[in-house]
Amino acid sequence: MYCVQCEQSNKGGCAVKVGSCGKSAQVADMQDILLRVMQGVSAYAARAAAVGARDARVDAFTPHAWFTTLTNVNFDAARFTGLIAQALDIRALAQACAQGAGADLADLPEAATWTPVLTDEGLAQAAPYAAIQRFMDRDGPSVVGLRNLVLYGLKGTAAYSEHARVLGHEEAAVSAEFHRIAAFLATDPTDIDALLAHSLAIGALNLKVMELLDAANTGRFGHPEVTMVRMTPVRGKAILVSGHDMGDLEAILEQTAGLGINVYTHGELLPANAYPGFKKYPHLIGNYGGAWQDQQREFDAFPGAIVMTSNCLINPEIKGYADRLFTAGPVGWAGITHIASHDFAPVIARALALPGFAEDAAEQRIPAGFARNTVMGVADTLLGMINKGEVKNLFLIGGCDGARPGRNYFHDLAMATPQDSLILTLGCGKFRFNREDLGSINGVPRVLDVGQCNDAYSAIQVAVAVAGALGCGVNDLPLHYAISWFEQKATAVLLTMLHLGIRKIHLGPTLPQFLTPEVLGVLVDMFDIRPTGEAGQDLARMLQAA
């Protein structure tokens, strides 16, 4: 395989039989094939949209299919065979929709007509036609790298779109724009300026998608409230819910009510504990564990059933807890029971059969729930502290965590920030420092947990509102960015920040390998992206610029 889509990939790409994430070369090939067919789907759907036509089935399948190809989501070859077959059927629906609407179907790209044979041999033969390296010699690494920026940005946007869609929030205009950009990608473009423009268009699209997801979450579960979340277990049977999907968490809580099973969040689901809609479930005990890269140790120690609702899944067979792990939504691993239609009965039965926690652990709690509604509710207080000089700097430190060396940078930076500063944090990167006691300012905790990685929308809204109240631009605020990137959701969020013109983002611990030094140079020149270095030196540079 050749894979450079995440920070976890080996230097130069995963040109190996098994990727760093545990993905086999067969699954990597099938993901490439699925994405190539899905670009063909969008080629038809975009032309249909241009004449005001759409097929809701096409728009519903598209983000789900793209989501399955993200890092650490689906490793099940059998599931991908089925997805490719579905994608071909969906492409036929998109074609029929476009034809029925009288759309212009001249000069279709290869992806619109290319049809792989759905056998192991046929898919193996088709793989080279969908592979990234097919175009390296013809178009060069810089062009292919920029195509990957578009490809991976679309993947991240698709994931957020799917999170919103399963909660009932989707818009035809969002789907149409996604299809437009994916159709552009299907033409194997080589124009650098056009590729950069479409990358920023993904940033604009992802901003809208994050707004939809914010509306989906708050509309269903209410606005997050400041909440002291328990981080240690209590005695009793247990289910652990990891990933990002709050709809699955809600279904599990409803189906376990009154059964004597305690439910815990894990990883990116920690912020769910701050939503009013979840507080009505007394058996939602709190959070267990931290970021995704520690899950093998944490899942092995968890004495109950475990549900992975979205990324990031790691090989469950190494530690031997596969018999009590379940997948849901886009997630898959060969041999692991997959939950369909939100029926978590197998999970409940397994939890009841397992011992659970034998005793209460010493209680530890941390604050959460500082989403935009909470922060804007005390905007006058925050602005007053800024105007009085009680808060001199704001930091946004967060993003995706990972296993590579250099991640302690974000802990060290947070710990070194001045006492007269506040830290907004989001994503699983916050687990590097969210249990540290960094104190408070006038009763306001210095570390404000905004939520999941998609809650970058909240952080952006806060920054825009503060800048507006102070009569300055966002880049004129004493607001400093240190973003840890890992996979394609982080790519989409970064493109959103670049679309908004946010500059001087410290990005690390390494820069994306799919972009050549030449292309990175362009982005650095355009947006002043700054690779993370030594935390103390970077902090001094941030404060000097404030």
Side-chain angles (χ1 to χ4, degrees):
M1 75 172 73
Y2 178 81
C3 182
V4 290
Q5 72 176 9
C6 75
E7 194 260 348
Q8 188 170 271
S9 62
N10 299 321
K11 187 174 183 180
C14 288
V16 291
K17 292 183 178 180
V18 179
S20 301
C21 62
K23 180 172 61 178
S24 69
Q26 179 191 19
V27 167
D29 287 344
M30 296 175 86
Q31 290 180 353
D32 288 344
I33 292 169
L34 175 61
L35 287 172
R36 190 66 169 173
V37 174
M38 290 307 301
Q39 289 169 40
V41 169
S42 289
Y44 288 113
R47 298 194 185 195
V51 294
R54 67 184 287 255
D55 188 312
R57 294 167 294 181
V58 172
D59 290 350
F61 180 75
T62 295
H64 176 80
W66 281 74
F67 195 172
T68 62
T69 70
L70 265 72
T71 302
N72 289 25
V73 173
N74 199 316
F75 301 80
D76 190 344
R79 291 267 298 281
F80 278 107
T81 300
L83 283 164
I84 294 168
Q86 284 182 270
L88 290 170
D89 290 340
I90 290 292
R91 191 176 70 182
L93 289 176
Q95 180 181 6
C97 177
Q99 287 175 331
D104 179 8
L105 296 183
D107 299 320
L108 288 165
E110 174 191 78
T113 56
W114 175 69
T115 302
V117 177
L118 296 177
T119 63
D120 287 347
E121 181 180 359
L123 292 172
Q125 291 176 349
Y129 291 90
I132 293 171
Q133 64 265 44
R134 172 186 172 191
F135 300 99
M136 290 290 279
D137 291 337
R138 190 190 80 179
D139 299 331
S142 291
V143 166
V144 173
L146 273 174
R147 277 191 210 146
N148 288 340
L149 181 61
V150 173
L151 178 69
Y152 303 148
L154 283 173
K155 283 192 181 192
T157 301
Y160 290 140
S161 183
E162 178 68 357
H163 286 313
R165 189 191 68 82
V166 297
L167 290 175
H169 282 244
E170 55 187 326
E171 289 186 3
V174 167
S175 296
E177 177 67 355
F178 187 96
H179 290 310
R180 184 190 72 80
I181 299 172
F184 163 78
L185 187 62
T187 65
D188 304 319
T190 58
D191 184 89
I192 296 293
D193 290 337
L195 284 162
L196 284 170
H198 280 79
S199 296
L200 295 181
I202 292 171
L205 174 63
N206 189 60
L207 179 62
K208 177 60 180 176
V209 168
M210 290 194 297
E211 180 183 3
L212 277 177
L213 181 51
D214 179 86
N217 287 334
T218 58
R220 185 149 165 180
F221 307 116
H223 285 279
E225 305 166 339
V226 177
T227 304
M228 296 301 294
V229 180
R230 184 177 179 120
M231 300 293 287
T232 51
V234 302
R235 182 177 180 273
K237 305 286 186 178
I239 292 175
L240 184 63
V241 188
S242 190
H244 301 71
D245 197 296
M246 290 199 278
D248 280 337
L249 175 61
E250 180 185 45
I252 290 169
L253 288 166
E254 289 176 347
Q255 293 173 37
T256 53
L259 298 181
I261 300 174
N262 295 323
V263 177
Y264 300 81
T265 59
H266 176 268
E268 288 260 35
L269 274 174
L270 164 64
N273 291 274
Y275 283 83
F278 290 114
K279 292 184 178 181
K280 64 183 180 182
Y281 300 102
H283 59 301
L284 177 60
I285 297 302
N287 191 77
Y288 173 92
W292 67 270
Q293 73 273 6
D294 296 324
Q295 73 180 244
Q296 288 177 325
R297 171 177 53 82
E298 293 169 350
F299 287 6
D300 182 51
F302 188 79
I306 305 161
V307 182
M308 179 62 72
T309 67
S310 55
N311 53 328
C312 301
L313 175 66
I314 303 179
N315 186 349
E317 297 170 350
I318 293 176
K319 289 287 189 177
Y321 51 80
D323 65 330
R324 50 192 174 88
L325 177 70
F326 301 81
T327 60
V331 189
W333 187 278
I336 299 297
T337 300
H338 187 73
I339 301 300
S341 303
H342 299 283
D343 181 5
F344 291 95
V347 179
I348 294 170
R350 192 74 183 101
L352 291 172
L354 290 164
F357 289 99
E359 59 185 6
D360 295 353
E363 185 171 335
Q364 296 178 8
R365 293 182 181 269
I366 63 171
F370 293 94
R372 61 180 176 84
N373 200 58
T374 300
V375 176
M376 297 312 297
V378 294
D380 290 344
T381 301
L382 175 59
L383 291 171
M385 290 193 296
I386 293 174
N387 287 326
K388 293 176 184 177
E390 295 169 336
V391 172
K392 294 182 179 177
N393 287 275
L394 300 168
F395 293 85
L396 176 58
I397 305 176
C400 300
D401 206 0
R404 270 182 176 265
R407 294 279 176 177
N408 283 338
Y409 167 92
F410 300 96
H411 169 273
D412 297 343
L413 180 67
M415 297 301 293
T417 54
Q419 289 299 307
D420 57 6
S421 62
L422 295 176
I423 300 171
L424 302 175
T425 189
L426 47 80
C428 59
K430 61 174 167 268
F431 285 104
R432 291 280 168 174
F433 55 85
N434 66 346
R435 296 199 195 199
E436 300 281 8
D437 183 6
L438 274 72
S440 61
I441 303 175
N442 294 344
V444 177
R446 286 193 55 232
V447 177
L448 306 177
D449 186 349
V450 177
Q452 297 182 340
C453 54
N454 54 275
D455 288 312
Y457 176 78
S458 271
I460 289 167
Q461 295 305 309
V462 169
V464 169
V466 171
L470 295 176
C472 64
V474 172
N475 287 313
D476 299 318
L477 287 173
L479 173 58
H480 317 288
Y481 306 89
I483 306 298
S484 55
W485 85 281
F486 171 68
E487 42 81 272
Q488 298 83 69
K489 287 181 176 178
T491 302
V493 172
L494 176 64
L495 290 176
T496 294
M497 297 176 76
L498 299 184
H499 155 72
L500 291 170
I502 295 173
R503 301 175 63 85
K504 300 179 182 179
I505 300 170
H506 285 74
L507 183 68
T510 59
L511 292 178
Q513 295 177 30
F514 54 83
L515 297 179
T516 63
E518 291 78 14
V519 174
L520 278 173
V522 171
L523 294 177
V524 168
D525 290 342
M526 289 177 64
F527 302 105
D528 201 5
I529 292 175
R530 299 179 174 186
T532 55
E534 192 277 321
Q537 293 177 358
D538 285 354
L539 178 61
R541 180 167 60 172
M542 293 175 188
L543 296 176
Q544 184 178 14

